[in-house]
Amino acid sequence: MKKVYMDYGATTPVDPEVITAMNPYFFEIYGNPSSTHSYGVDAADDIEQSRLKVASLINAKPEEIIFTSGGTEADNLAIKGVAALHENKKNTKGPHIITTEIEHAAVLETCKYLEKTGFDVAYLPVDKYGLIKTEDLKNTISKNTFLLSIIYANNEIGTIQEIEEIGKITESNGILFHTDAVQAVGKIPVDVNRSRIDLLSLSSHKIYGPKGVGGLFVKKGIKIKPLFHGGGHEQGKRSSTLNTPGIIGLGKACELGKKRLVTDSKKMIKQRDTLIKNILGIEESYLNGHPNKRLPNNAHFRFSAVEGESLHMMLDNKQIAVATGSACSSKKLKPSHVLLALGLTPEESHGSLRFTLGRQTEDTEISYVSKELPKIVEHLRKMSPLWKK
Ligand SMILES: Cc1ncc(COP(=O)(O)O)c(C=O)c1O
């Protein structure tokens, strides 16, 4: 069996069509898009085409897309950019920003940083599937709240929030709605208008585009303060010479993502459900996250009396690449904050594994993993003092 990659939630290979689209921008159309000569104008024109493609995937207008260096920067720009306009509210009582306990570090750490500077942040809990309760959200909003930031689809367990319902609540309470949609965009339909989203973060490398590029949707009329000061690029919201090849790659990835959304997700749902059915055949194995409100490509399990780290290593020996926590936190041996928020114990969190499928995932790979994993779990349990049977 050749190597099996089931960690598409961490990153994806770049689509060959994306590479082809990017190629001319390294050596032929290399002008600085801000230059007024033809080299610059050619690059700038193509960047605008890319902006259109990104906007089209989420039903936004092209002028509402700000290119960034990725999802992390988009999250920082959205949250700090809005908070900077509410400095006067600092140190007043009642949450200024509402977020959740299951955010990606890019949002969580940004909120913690803002807390240190005097902003009050409320972290909404989630139920055992990873969903917030909209009643909790309504009850948490105070007269000082100016922003809700909530992850669209969780990067670890794949749970998809009730985004439309949430958008109605933020709109009727006059607070801004930011969503980290890095894992959702390109995998499920995302419509910023229908969901009344004000700010949305996306990242290229999760959708078969290059690494180091992403975008922030900022609804027309919404003001944010920039993180970087400089030449005033991107309507003054994000200074720095634009990453032309990266942006062209992101645009192509979005175009392909839109074209392939239905077929890709149908295929992945079938493969995911086969994997879930097979793996849940293992004694004392459980699915983490919501049974059906989950990303088409995500299957997240926990196994009693085994360590996810050991499973991960033994799968790696069998040439199967999966994730224990989220990629960003998997090097730390702390239990995942997302799994703890579901109510799992630290032991249960440590016994969890994430499988994320992608365009290249083949049925034979699902069968291979379904055959190898039960053997590995059994082997580890034989050595585990926690396994009583
Ligand atoms: C939900 C989520 N938000 C943000 C990020 C960060 O994106 P980037 O790697 O483009 O900075 C990731 C990446 O793992 C993610 O999964």
Side-chain angles (χ1 to χ4, degrees):
M1 187 75 193
K2 61 177 174 38
K3 286 173 92 168
V4 175
Y5 184 73
M6 287 202 185
D7 201 13
Y8 285 82
T11 197
T12 57
V14 180
D15 191 289
E17 283 192 55
V18 170
I19 300 174
T20 306
M22 288 171 71
N23 261 332
Y25 296 88
F26 291 102
F27 199 68
E28 292 157 43
I29 314 168
Y30 56 82
N32 186 326
S34 300
S35 301
T36 45
H37 48 62
S38 66
Y39 288 82
V41 171
D42 287 350
D45 285 351
D46 295 347
I47 281 176
E48 292 320 305
Q49 286 307 311
S50 227
R51 207 184 295 280
L52 198 64
K53 290 173 187 168
V54 176
S56 163
L57 182 59
I58 58 169
N59 194 24
K61 298 185 190 79
E63 62 272 23
E64 294 174 320
I65 303 297
I66 305 297
F67 290 117
T68 66
S69 64
T72 302
E73 188 193 326
D75 285 340
N76 272 265
L77 179 58
I79 300 169
K80 291 181 188 157
V82 169
L85 295 168
H86 291 84
E87 291 278 330
N88 61 330
K89 284 197 173 155
K90 267 186 181 179
N91 304 317
T92 53
K93 260 175 83 110
H96 306 114
I97 301 172
I98 302 175
T99 185
T100 79
E101 290 180 355
I102 61 160
E103 295 303 307
H104 185 272
V107 167
L108 222 43
E109 294 302 320
T110 303
C111 288
K112 284 187 197 160
Y113 165 78
L114 289 175
E115 261 186 301
K116 283 193 199 127
T117 72
F119 286 104
D120 188 7
V121 182
Y123 300 86
L124 296 177
V126 291
D127 67 12
K128 65 177 178 177
Y129 298 122
L131 288 172
I132 65 146
K133 291 194 188 75
T134 46
E135 275 313 300
D136 282 349
L137 170 60
K138 285 182 200 160
N139 294 336
T140 307
I141 294 171
S142 79
K143 65 174 186 346
N144 284 329
T145 308
F146 57 80
L147 178 68
L148 169 75
S149 179
I150 187 165
I151 193 160
Y152 201 121
N154 186 265
N155 49 303
E156 295 191 39
I157 53 171
T159 299
I160 303 167
Q161 298 295 331
E162 307 279 8
I163 291 294
E164 276 188 45
E165 192 63 27
I166 292 167
K168 284 181 197 157
I169 298 170
T170 48
E171 188 183 63
S172 63
N173 283 278
I175 64 178
L176 293 180
F177 178 18
H178 167 247
T179 182
D180 175 341
V182 165
Q183 295 285 345
V185 164
K187 297 194 192 99
I188 53 173
V190 171
D191 183 326
V192 289
N193 284 314
R194 200 181 55 220
S195 303
R196 299 158 162 88
I197 294 165
D198 298 305
L199 300 134
L200 175 146
S201 307
L202 57 89
S203 176
S204 155
H205 73 101
K206 309 285 186 185
I207 53 168
Y208 310 90
K211 293 171 181 59
V213 59
L216 179 68
F217 156 78
V218 183
K219 192 174 160 179
K220 200 164 183 245
I222 286 174
K223 290 197 169 51
I224 53 169
K225 271 208 173 172
L227 298 178
F228 308 156
H229 298 93
H233 308 78
E234 299 293 89
Q235 308 164 35
K237 295 185 174 84
R238 203 274 182 177
S239 287
S240 183
T241 300
L242 279 88
N243 168 7
T244 313
I247 290 168
I248 298 295
L250 168 60
K252 188 69 188 177
C254 287
E255 182 188 295
L256 293 176
K258 189 172 177 185
K259 208 159 66 183
R260 300 184 54 141
L261 192 97
V262 176
T263 39
D264 278 359
S265 69
K266 258 194 198 157
K267 172 193 154 242
M268 279 188 267
I269 287 171
K270 200 157 158 263
Q271 292 178 330
R272 176 200 71 186
D273 290 347
T274 306
L275 184 67
I276 291 177
K277 185 170 138 287
N278 293 344
I279 300 307
L280 291 186
I282 300 174
E283 199 180 352
E284 290 198 35
S285 63
Y286 309 92
L287 184 70
N288 293 325
H290 200 280
N292 46 57
K293 287 178 191 160
R294 68 185 306 130
L295 287 172
N297 72 329
N298 177 298
H300 201 293
F301 304 102
R302 67 179 188 279
F303 305 92
S304 300
V306 280
E307 280 275 320
E309 293 298 324
S310 315
L311 285 171
H312 178 270
M313 262 170 47
M314 291 192 70
L315 283 167
D316 200 30
N317 287 341
K318 293 277 176 193
Q319 310 280 350
I320 300 166
V322 300
T324 43
S326 70
C328 315
S329 65
S330 62
K331 290 208 176 82
K332 303 174 199 160
L333 272 175
K334 277 206 312 206
S336 142
H337 68 283
V338 174
L339 299 180
L340 293 180
L342 302 183
L344 301 187
T345 62
E347 291 72 30
E348 287 171 325
S349 305
H350 279 309
S352 294
L353 276 188
R354 179 186 76 174
F355 296 77
T356 40
L357 317 180
R359 273 185 203 154
Q360 279 79 23
T361 304
E362 293 169 10
D363 291 349
T364 51
E365 295 177 329
I366 301 288
S367 308
Y368 179 62
V369 171
S370 303
K371 187 165 80 62
E372 292 303 322
L373 187 57
K375 290 193 264 179
I376 294 173
V377 173
E378 194 188 330
H379 174 78
L380 288 171
R381 279 177 173 166
K382 274 191 189 140
M383 300 187 297
S384 167
L386 301 170
W387 188 245
K388 304 279 181 331
K389 302 194 178 164

